Amino acid sequence: MGTKTVDEAGAETGTEAKSDEAKVDTTKLEETTETTETTEATEAKTDAEAAADESDKSEVADDEVDGLRGDTQEGPSGVGQGAGAVVSAGLGLVSLTGSWVATVAAARETLVGQLGTSSSATVATQVKEVYGDAWATTALIGGLFALAALIVGVVVLARPAFGAPGKPQPAWIKSVAWGGVALGVIGLLLAVAKYTDIILGLPSAS
Protein backbone atom coordinates (compact mmCIF):
# COMPACT_ATOMS: atom_id res chain seq x y z
CA MET A 1 0.00 0.00 0.00
CA GLY A 2 2.78 2.47 0.84
CA THR A 3 4.63 1.77 -2.38
CA LYS A 4 1.56 2.39 -4.46
CA THR A 5 1.00 5.71 -2.79
CA VAL A 6 4.54 6.78 -3.51
CA ASP A 7 4.18 5.75 -7.14
CA GLU A 8 0.96 7.62 -7.49
CA ALA A 9 2.55 10.72 -5.97
CA GLY A 10 5.50 10.40 -8.30
CA ALA A 11 3.21 10.00 -11.27
CA GLU A 12 1.22 13.04 -10.26
CA THR A 13 4.43 15.02 -9.82
CA GLY A 14 5.66 13.91 -13.24
CA THR A 15 2.35 14.86 -14.78
CA GLU A 16 2.48 18.30 -13.19
CA ALA A 17 6.07 18.77 -14.40
CA LYS A 18 5.11 17.81 -17.91
CA SER A 19 2.17 20.19 -17.72
CA ASP A 20 4.45 23.01 -16.58
CA GLU A 21 6.90 22.24 -19.38
CA ALA A 22 4.05 22.28 -21.89
CA LYS A 23 2.92 25.65 -20.56
CA VAL A 24 6.44 27.02 -20.81
CA ASP A 25 6.76 25.70 -24.37
CA THR A 26 3.41 27.22 -25.28
CA THR A 27 4.44 30.57 -23.78
CA LYS A 28 7.73 30.52 -25.70
CA LEU A 29 5.91 29.59 -28.88
CA GLU A 30 3.45 32.48 -28.42
CA GLU A 31 6.32 34.91 -27.74
CA THR A 32 8.18 33.67 -30.81
CA THR A 33 5.03 34.00 -32.91
CA GLU A 34 4.42 37.56 -31.68
CA THR A 35 8.04 38.50 -32.36
CA THR A 36 7.84 37.04 -35.86
CA GLU A 37 4.58 38.87 -36.58
CA THR A 38 6.04 42.17 -35.29
CA THR A 39 9.14 41.71 -37.43
CA GLU A 40 7.07 40.91 -40.51
CA ALA A 41 4.82 43.93 -39.88
CA THR A 42 7.87 46.18 -39.49
CA GLU A 43 9.40 44.82 -42.69
CA ALA A 44 6.12 45.26 -44.54
CA LYS A 45 5.83 48.87 -43.30
CA THR A 46 9.41 49.56 -44.31
CA ASP A 47 8.77 48.11 -47.77
CA ALA A 48 5.63 50.23 -48.12
CA GLU A 49 7.48 53.39 -47.09
CA ALA A 50 10.29 52.62 -49.53
CA ALA A 51 7.78 52.07 -52.31
CA ALA A 52 6.07 55.37 -51.44
CA ASP A 53 9.41 57.20 -51.50
CA GLU A 54 10.25 55.71 -54.88
CA SER A 55 6.82 56.72 -56.17
CA ASP A 56 7.31 60.31 -54.93
CA LYS A 57 10.77 60.47 -56.51
CA SER A 58 9.35 59.16 -59.76
CA GLU A 59 6.59 61.80 -59.73
CA VAL A 60 9.12 64.56 -59.01
CA ALA A 61 11.31 63.34 -61.85
CA ASP A 62 8.32 63.26 -64.20
CA ASP A 63 7.39 66.81 -63.17
CA GLU A 64 10.94 67.99 -63.83
CA VAL A 65 10.94 66.33 -67.24
CA ASP A 66 7.58 67.91 -68.07
CA GLY A 67 8.93 71.29 -66.96
CA LEU A 68 11.97 70.91 -69.17
CA ARG A 69 9.77 69.90 -72.08
CA GLY A 70 7.54 72.92 -71.45
CA ASP A 71 10.54 75.24 -71.39
CA THR A 72 11.78 73.71 -74.61
CA GLN A 73 8.42 74.24 -76.27
CA GLU A 74 8.16 77.81 -75.02
CA GLY A 75 11.66 78.72 -76.21
CA PRO A 76 10.96 79.18 -79.93
CA SER A 77 7.75 81.12 -79.22
CA GLY A 78 9.55 83.54 -76.89
CA VAL A 79 12.43 83.96 -79.31
CA GLY A 80 10.07 84.68 -82.19
CA GLN A 81 8.15 87.30 -80.21
CA GLY A 82 11.38 88.98 -79.12
CA ALA A 83 12.66 89.07 -82.68
CA GLY A 84 9.37 90.52 -83.88
CA ALA A 85 9.50 93.25 -81.23
CA VAL A 86 13.05 94.22 -82.24
CA VAL A 87 12.07 94.25 -85.92
CA SER A 88 9.09 96.47 -85.16
CA ALA A 89 11.25 98.98 -83.28
CA GLY A 90 13.84 98.92 -86.08
CA LEU A 91 11.27 99.56 -88.78
CA GLY A 92 9.79 102.42 -86.78
CA LEU A 93 13.21 104.00 -86.39
CA VAL A 94 13.93 103.65 -90.12
CA SER A 95 10.62 105.30 -90.97
CA LEU A 96 11.75 108.42 -89.08
CA THR A 97 15.41 108.57 -90.05
CA GLY A 98 15.15 107.37 -93.66
CA SER A 99 16.60 104.46 -95.57
CA TRP A 100 18.74 103.86 -98.64
CA VAL A 101 15.60 102.70 -100.43
CA ALA A 102 13.98 106.10 -99.91
CA THR A 103 17.20 107.89 -100.91
CA VAL A 104 17.54 105.98 -104.17
CA ALA A 105 13.84 106.35 -104.97
CA ALA A 106 13.95 110.10 -104.34
CA ALA A 107 17.07 110.53 -106.50
CA ARG A 108 15.44 108.54 -109.29
CA GLU A 109 12.29 110.64 -109.10
CA THR A 110 14.43 113.79 -109.30
CA LEU A 111 16.15 112.49 -112.42
CA VAL A 112 12.84 111.57 -114.02
CA GLY A 113 11.51 115.05 -113.26
CA GLN A 114 14.52 116.70 -114.82
CA LEU A 115 14.26 114.59 -117.95
CA GLY A 116 10.53 115.04 -118.29
CA THR A 117 10.40 118.79 -117.73
CA SER A 118 11.18 121.11 -120.58
CA SER A 119 13.25 124.19 -120.13
CA SER A 120 10.31 126.32 -121.09
CA ALA A 121 8.13 125.03 -118.22
CA THR A 122 7.16 127.40 -115.47
CA VAL A 123 9.16 127.59 -112.26
CA ALA A 124 6.30 126.08 -110.26
CA THR A 125 6.16 123.08 -112.59
CA GLN A 126 9.90 122.57 -112.45
CA VAL A 127 9.91 122.74 -108.64
CA LYS A 128 7.11 120.24 -108.42
CA GLU A 129 8.56 117.78 -110.91
CA VAL A 130 12.16 117.94 -109.69
CA TYR A 131 11.70 118.38 -105.93
CA GLY A 132 8.06 117.92 -104.97
CA ASP A 133 7.68 114.43 -106.43
CA ALA A 134 10.99 113.30 -104.90
CA TRP A 135 9.94 114.49 -101.44
CA ALA A 136 6.56 112.79 -101.81
CA THR A 137 8.30 109.56 -102.77
CA THR A 138 10.50 109.78 -99.67
CA ALA A 139 7.43 110.35 -97.50
CA LEU A 140 5.62 107.43 -99.15
CA ILE A 141 8.43 104.96 -98.49
CA GLY A 142 8.80 106.24 -94.93
CA GLY A 143 5.09 105.71 -94.41
CA LEU A 144 5.35 102.13 -95.67
CA PHE A 145 8.13 101.41 -93.16
CA ALA A 146 6.04 103.00 -90.40
CA LEU A 147 3.00 100.93 -91.35
CA ALA A 148 5.08 97.75 -91.31
CA ALA A 149 6.45 98.64 -87.86
CA LEU A 150 2.93 99.26 -86.58
CA ILE A 151 1.58 95.95 -87.91
CA VAL A 152 4.50 93.87 -86.60
CA GLY A 153 4.31 95.51 -83.16
CA VAL A 154 0.56 94.90 -82.86
CA VAL A 155 0.99 91.25 -83.90
CA VAL A 156 3.68 90.73 -81.26
CA LEU A 157 1.53 92.30 -78.53
CA ALA A 158 -1.53 90.25 -79.55
CA ARG A 159 0.37 86.96 -79.87
CA PRO A 160 -0.09 85.76 -76.23
CA ALA A 161 -3.88 85.90 -76.64
CA PHE A 162 -3.63 83.14 -79.26
CA GLY A 163 -1.00 81.05 -77.45
CA ALA A 164 -1.04 78.78 -74.40
CA PRO A 165 -3.04 80.28 -71.50
CA GLY A 166 -1.30 81.21 -68.28
CA LYS A 167 2.04 82.04 -69.90
CA PRO A 168 2.67 85.77 -69.57
CA GLN A 169 4.73 87.62 -72.14
CA PRO A 170 8.15 88.82 -70.90
CA ALA A 171 8.20 92.48 -69.95
CA TRP A 172 11.10 93.39 -72.24
CA ILE A 173 9.23 92.05 -75.28
CA LYS A 174 6.21 94.17 -74.40
CA SER A 175 8.36 97.26 -73.93
CA VAL A 176 10.20 96.89 -77.23
CA ALA A 177 6.98 96.07 -79.11
CA TRP A 178 5.21 99.11 -77.65
CA GLY A 179 8.22 101.20 -78.66
CA GLY A 180 7.92 99.89 -82.22
CA VAL A 181 4.20 100.66 -82.28
CA ALA A 182 4.79 104.20 -81.02
CA LEU A 183 7.52 104.85 -83.58
CA GLY A 184 5.29 103.40 -86.31
CA VAL A 185 2.39 105.68 -85.41
CA ILE A 186 4.61 108.77 -85.31
CA GLY A 187 6.32 107.87 -88.58
CA LEU A 188 2.99 107.18 -90.28
CA LEU A 189 1.51 110.51 -89.18
CA LEU A 190 4.58 112.42 -90.35
CA ALA A 191 4.61 110.59 -93.68
CA VAL A 192 0.95 111.38 -94.33
CA ALA A 193 1.46 114.99 -93.31
CA LYS A 194 4.44 115.41 -95.66
CA TYR A 195 2.80 113.55 -98.55
CA THR A 196 -0.22 115.86 -98.37
CA ASP A 197 1.98 118.94 -97.90
CA ILE A 198 0.49 119.71 -94.48
CA ILE A 199 4.05 120.14 -93.23
CA LEU A 200 7.15 121.08 -95.23
CA GLY A 201 5.14 121.86 -98.34
CA LEU A 202 6.59 123.16 -101.60
CA PRO A 203 7.65 126.80 -101.51
CA SER A 204 5.73 129.29 -103.55
CA ALA A 205 7.30 130.05 -106.96
CA SER A 206 5.71 133.47 -107.30
Side-chain angles (χ1 to χ4, degrees):
M1 294 293 290
T3 303
K4 189 175 180 181
T5 302
V6 171
D7 292 339
E8 290 177 356
E12 292 177 357
T13 302
T15 303
E16 291 177 356
K18 290 180 179 179
S19 176
D20 291 338
E21 290 177 357
K23 290 180 180 180
V24 172
D25 293 339
T26 302
T27 303
K28 290 181 178 180
L29 180 60
E30 291 176 354
E31 292 177 354
T32 303
T33 303
E34 292 177 356
T35 302
T36 303
E37 290 177 354
T38 303
T39 303
E40 291 178 353
T42 303
E43 292 177 353
K45 187 182 293 184
T46 303
D47 293 339
E49 292 176 352
D53 292 339
E54 291 179 357
S55 177
D56 293 339
K57 291 179 180 179
S58 177
E59 291 178 357
V60 171
D62 292 340
D63 292 340
E64 292 178 352
V65 171
D66 292 338
L68 292 175
R69 289 177 179 174
D71 294 339
T72 303
Q73 293 176 355
E74 292 175 5
S77 177
V79 170
Q81 293 179 32
V86 173
V87 169
S88 174
L91 290 173
L93 188 61
V94 169
S95 70
L96 295 177
T97 59
S99 65
W100 67 268
V101 178
T103 301
V104 172
R108 182 181 182 278
E109 193 65 30
T110 300
L111 181 59
V112 170
Q114 291 175 349
L115 295 176
T117 305
S118 64
S119 58
S120 60
T122 62
V123 175
T125 302
Q126 291 180 4
V127 169
K128 180 181 180 302
E129 293 294 332
V130 176
Y131 298 102
D133 292 347
W135 295 345
T137 302
T138 302
L140 178 61
I141 294 178
L144 293 177
F145 274 99
L147 182 61
L150 181 61
I151 293 174
V152 173
V154 170
V155 170
V156 171
L157 292 174
R159 177 64 181 83
F162 301 96
K167 296 179 181 179
Q169 192 177 52
W172 73 269
I173 294 180
K174 289 183 179 180
S175 299
V176 177
W178 275 115
V181 170
L183 291 174
V185 170
I186 295 172
L188 189 59
L189 291 176
L190 291 177
V192 171
K194 176 62 195 80
Y195 192 83
T196 56
D197 287 338
I198 295 177
I199 59 174
L200 300 175
L202 289 173
S204 175
S206 58

